[in-house]
Amino acid sequence: MSVRAPRWASLVVPVALAVADALLVNGVTPGLELNVSLVAAAALLLRRRLPLTVFLVTLPGILIGYVWFAPMIALYTVAVRRPDRRLLAFSALLLAIAHFVPWPVSDFEPTAYRENTLTLIDASVTSVGPIALGLLVRTRGELAARVEELTRSRRHADELLAQQVLSTERARLAREMHDVVAHQVSLISLQAGAVLISAEDGGAREGARTIRELSVRTLDELRHMVGVLRAAGGDLEELTPQPCLADLPRLIELSALDVDYEADYGEGVLEGLGQSEAVERAVFRIVQEALTNVRKHAPGARVRVRVSEADASGTAGASGTAGASGTAGASGTAGASGAGEGVRELRVEVRNGAPDATASAPELPGGGHGLIGLRERAQLLGGTLEARPLPDGGFLVRATLPGATPAPRAADT
């Protein structure tokens, strides 16, 4: 009820004002002037459905009955409902004429210049004012509708952005799932294979065989899940903390592979770089994925992992730190100081030889997403990744990632 009351009020109040205007101007005595004025007032009830017809009906009211409210309200409605410029100009002209010409027409005095001028000004204002107000109200309504449409569009854009963020997070989780879970499960499968070969107890061998089968099945399901998640979105910068370069020795120790690890980079290569944590995580994941691939495709092969520093021109070497040793690795050598000036690059290289023919392959499934994810990591950081077979039957994974511009050092004294 509260919603419909204003609508009825906006329809009835103009009619009431027009009736009051007719009675005040023409009195209550029936006659032509009063009758024409009341008809003009009553016609306002249909002004929303028939705005132009109602306006024409109200013109005799201002011509004969000298009422203003009914024709002005009718002209206002025409401006709101029918904003055609030619129609509005013609309607304004009709209202001005009806207001300017007296009734009866024979009472018009052309020589009354002062009175005619004042009446003409009054007629012009009477005809232009309702049109201006009607166009203003219509424009305001159109702007309100436009604002509402823009609000809906922005809400829809926010929903699309939320979906994009969700898709991006799915892709990130897919890559992390592949990097972390696949590495650990393949390691479990490798250890189970070793137990299967060396154990003398039948129950232990059966348990090891079950563990190995479950590992293979888990990796196969993981491959399908990674494909679904990667298809759902793009990729952005990492959102959660991940391992860094300091965790590489522990990763190599747990890999159960014959690895030589050499670290030849200075701390300055990562200082002052806003994405240094992302670079370290990328190096860790590259080594992790490469070792996983060695276990899958080159069992028993020797592996060499080297993380080094070079300037943008490609010259290797930096003020280095001593390399950490792997399970069977040689100790890293200290890097030479004096890398070229400019932007430093951090390079990671994982090189393995040909597989050992006597070693048993773990038969782990692969979905082909590992190297794709590593290449995406490198490209997002402004680097490159190369993965290719070697003439001796081995394989090489080499990535170059941007480092920082080293700060100038004081000259030795």
Side-chain angles (χ1 to χ4, degrees):
M1 188 65 179
S2 60
V3 176
R4 299 178 66 179
R7 181 179 180 181
W8 282 106
S10 63
L11 184 63
V12 173
V13 169
V15 177
L17 291 176
V19 171
D21 183 27
L23 295 175
L24 289 174
V25 173
N26 300 291
V28 295
T29 303
L32 179 61
E33 292 82 359
L34 180 60
N35 294 336
V36 171
S37 301
L38 291 178
V39 169
L44 294 179
L45 293 173
L46 302 175
R47 62 190 178 91
R48 292 179 177 174
R49 294 185 178 179
L50 305 170
L52 185 58
T53 302
V54 170
F55 170 70
L56 295 176
V57 171
T58 61
L59 287 180
I62 192 173
L63 176 64
I64 300 174
Y66 298 103
V67 291
W68 289 5
F69 280 1
M72 291 179 68
I73 293 174
L75 183 57
Y76 161 82
T77 306
V78 172
V80 173
R81 301 278 177 166
R82 305 282 183 83
D84 182 78
R85 294 183 178 181
R86 292 177 294 180
L87 177 62
L88 293 179
F90 181 70
S91 300
L93 180 61
L94 289 180
L95 182 58
I97 294 174
H99 185 278
F100 178 77
V101 177
W103 181 264
V105 181
S106 59
D107 293 342
F108 179 70
E109 297 182 3
T111 58
Y113 301 111
R114 182 174 180 274
E115 293 182 1
N116 291 339
T117 302
L118 292 176
T119 303
L120 180 60
I121 294 174
D122 192 11
S124 301
V125 174
T126 303
S127 59
V128 173
I131 294 178
L133 182 60
L135 293 178
L136 178 63
V137 172
R138 180 180 178 85
T139 302
R140 182 178 180 274
E142 292 176 349
L143 289 177
R146 180 59 177 168
V147 169
E148 184 179 357
E149 181 182 355
L150 290 176
T151 302
R152 289 196 302 266
S153 300
R154 183 165 185 176
R155 188 183 302 114
H156 181 63
D158 292 340
E159 293 175 356
L160 292 179
L161 179 60
Q163 294 177 2
Q164 182 180 0
V165 172
L166 180 60
S167 299
T168 300
E169 183 66 9
R170 285 177 177 174
R172 187 191 67 82
L173 289 176
R175 187 175 61 222
E176 293 304 324
M177 184 185 301
H178 184 278
D179 292 345
V180 178
V181 180
H183 178 79
Q184 301 297 336
V185 173
S186 62
L187 185 60
I188 293 173
S189 178
L190 185 65
Q191 298 291 348
V195 174
L196 182 63
I197 295 175
S198 61
E200 298 180 357
D201 182 68
R205 287 198 301 270
E206 185 64 25
R209 182 180 293 104
T210 301
I211 293 174
R212 189 171 184 179
E213 292 176 356
L214 290 176
S215 300
V216 173
R217 188 183 308 168
T218 299
L219 284 178
D220 188 51
E221 294 178 356
L222 175 64
R223 176 173 60 85
H224 292 290
M225 186 180 300
V226 166
V228 172
L229 291 176
R230 289 180 63 87
D235 201 358
L236 287 177
E237 185 179 355
E238 300 298 335
L239 302 178
T240 55
Q242 295 295 323
C244 59
L245 291 179
D247 299 313
L248 280 180
R250 179 61 178 171
L251 173 69
I252 293 174
E253 181 181 354
L254 296 176
S255 66
L257 297 173
D258 186 4
V259 182
D260 291 338
Y261 174 51
E262 179 181 354
D264 186 15
Y265 59 88
E267 295 296 333
V269 72
L270 296 174
E271 292 179 355
L273 184 62
Q275 58 181 6
S276 60
E277 295 182 359
V279 171
E280 292 193 51
R281 290 197 300 270
V283 172
F284 183 91
R285 296 306 184 197
I286 290 171
V287 175
Q288 186 181 56
E289 177 64 22
L291 295 180
T292 300
N293 290 337
V294 170
R295 283 195 295 270
K296 289 181 181 179
H297 309 295
R302 290 184 59 86
V303 185
R304 181 174 182 268
V305 177
R306 186 173 188 269
V307 181
S308 61
E309 176 187 352
D311 58 23
S313 62
T315 306
S319 55
T321 56
S325 60
T327 53
S331 61
T333 60
S337 62
E341 296 182 357
V343 177
R344 298 288 176 82
E345 293 178 341
L346 192 64
R347 293 185 179 178
V348 53
E349 181 178 296
V350 181
R351 182 191 300 264
N352 65 272
D356 188 352
T358 61
S360 59
E363 299 180 358
L364 298 175
H369 299 296
L371 292 178
I372 295 176
L374 297 183
R375 185 170 287 106
E376 290 177 353
R377 282 181 184 271
Q379 291 175 352
L380 285 172
L381 297 173
T384 59
L385 184 133
E386 175 189 5
R388 57 182 174 85
L390 298 175
D392 60 357
F395 200 82
L396 172 67
V397 176
R398 178 189 294 129
T400 302
L401 303 173
T405 302
R409 295 180 297 178
D412 296 336
T413 57

